[in-house]
Amino acid sequence: MNVSMRKRVINNMNLIFASQNKGKTKEIKSLFNGTGIEIYSLSDLGNDIDVPETGETFEENAFIKAKAIYDIYDVPVIADDSGLAIEQLDGRPGVYSARYSGENCTYEDNNKKVISELENLPEPHLAKFISHAVFYDGTKKIDCVGELPGKIILDIRGTEGFGYDPIFIPDGFDKTISELTFEEKNNMSHRKISFTQLKEKLLEYLNSL
Ligand code: IMP
């Protein structure tokens, strides 16, 4: 895509969010709400592709996803790779967060596995969520990172959110993310941090074209 074409597509403010994750998609659409930027998820496009995450870091995986979807649609893409890093588990589940207890596992399976690995270890079980957000338009790559520190509890609490939210208490709170509202999570999450930076850098890039 040449520069003027790129500018037109981005100025039309259509971006694809390269994810099949409904929880993340809801968060990202809400973050871009009011910016004039229209976010299309893969399911909006009727695409059920599952891009294999073959990278060894969040950053590599985010770019692998963004590039795979860009190569299909030739439209600017945003993507993130995110997960949970637990100090006492040397950073696990890390890039394996989605499939920590095996292929096709549920969020509950993963939460139970984490709880069983931590239950004989001393509290607090310090952890952080990490999100690497990427923009890619075939030429330009923008990469931003966001982190949300907190601790894991050995109990599954609350109904909001997804993934490890029901066992994670963010610093400064006494509730799990699943006991907070969608808005409360979306105001402070690792994705909020990484994608807010990404939005700002994207606007700078647009101005420079
Ligand atoms: P990804 O779709 O490959 O980035 O995998 C992300 C996985 O990390 C999810 O399936 C969740 O298990 C976990 N994860 C990422 N972000 C969050 C979050 O905000 N809350 C809870 N779990 C998360």
Side-chain angles (χ1 to χ4, degrees):
M1 208 181 344
N2 64 33
V3 169
S4 69
M5 171 84 119
R6 225 165 54 228
K7 194 167 181 173
R8 188 149 51 85
V9 172
I10 303 172
N11 277 341
N12 282 347
M13 294 298 176
N14 293 327
L15 296 182
I16 298 175
F17 179 47
S19 176
Q20 298 290 358
N21 183 314
K22 289 193 174 70
K24 280 189 191 179
T25 300
K26 188 176 170 200
E27 291 174 13
I28 296 306
K29 287 191 174 182
S30 163
L31 283 179
F32 278 83
N33 224 349
T35 61
I37 297 176
E38 195 70 40
I39 305 290
Y40 292 90
S41 70
L42 293 178
S43 69
D44 292 334
L45 301 169
N47 186 333
D48 62 2
I49 186 174
D50 194 12
V51 179
E53 295 178 9
T54 50
E56 286 177 6
T57 62
F58 293 118
E59 185 178 351
E60 276 179 71
N61 280 336
F63 184 63
I64 287 169
K65 286 187 250 188
K67 183 167 183 328
I69 300 306
Y70 174 80
D71 287 346
I72 297 173
Y73 292 101
D74 203 14
V75 165
V77 175
I78 53 174
D80 100 313
D81 196 44
S82 53
L84 177 69
I86 302 172
E87 226 175 79
Q88 288 170 325
L89 301 182
D90 300 322
R92 292 194 319 274
V95 291
Y96 302 106
S97 291
R99 49 188 190 282
Y100 194 41
S101 50
E103 293 302 325
N104 303 319
C105 59
T106 64
Y107 291 141
E108 193 183 352
D109 295 335
N110 287 339
N111 286 330
K112 285 184 173 160
K113 177 165 175 169
V114 165
I115 289 171
S116 74
E117 289 183 319
L118 292 177
E119 63 195 354
N120 294 320
L121 298 175
E123 292 187 340
H125 309 298
L126 299 179
K128 61 186 174 186
F129 278 119
I130 303 168
S131 160
H132 269 267
V134 165
F135 165 87
Y136 182 63
D137 67 358
T139 307
K140 175 78 174 172
K141 179 183 169 217
I142 304 174
D143 194 299
C144 297
V145 61
E147 294 190 354
L148 178 67
K151 65 180 181 195
I152 302 296
I153 54 160
L154 304 181
D155 201 11
I156 295 180
R157 285 185 359 206
T159 52
E160 283 293 315
F162 67 94
Y164 299 94
D165 285 344
I167 58 169
F168 184 90
I169 297 188
D171 282 353
F173 288 78
D174 59 3
K175 291 176 175 173
T176 69
I177 298 185
S178 288
E179 294 173 306
L180 300 174
T181 64
F182 173 75
E183 287 74 23
E184 282 172 316
K185 174 181 183 185
N186 229 19
N187 269 333
M188 64 169 169
S189 79
H190 43 308
R191 250 181 310 285
K192 155 88 174 188
I193 298 166
S194 62
F195 276 96
T196 301
Q197 282 176 27
L198 194 77
K199 255 191 314 191
E200 283 162 15
K201 290 194 177 174
L202 185 55
L203 293 176
E204 271 172 34
Y205 167 56
L206 271 180
N207 287 332
S208 73
L209 282 176

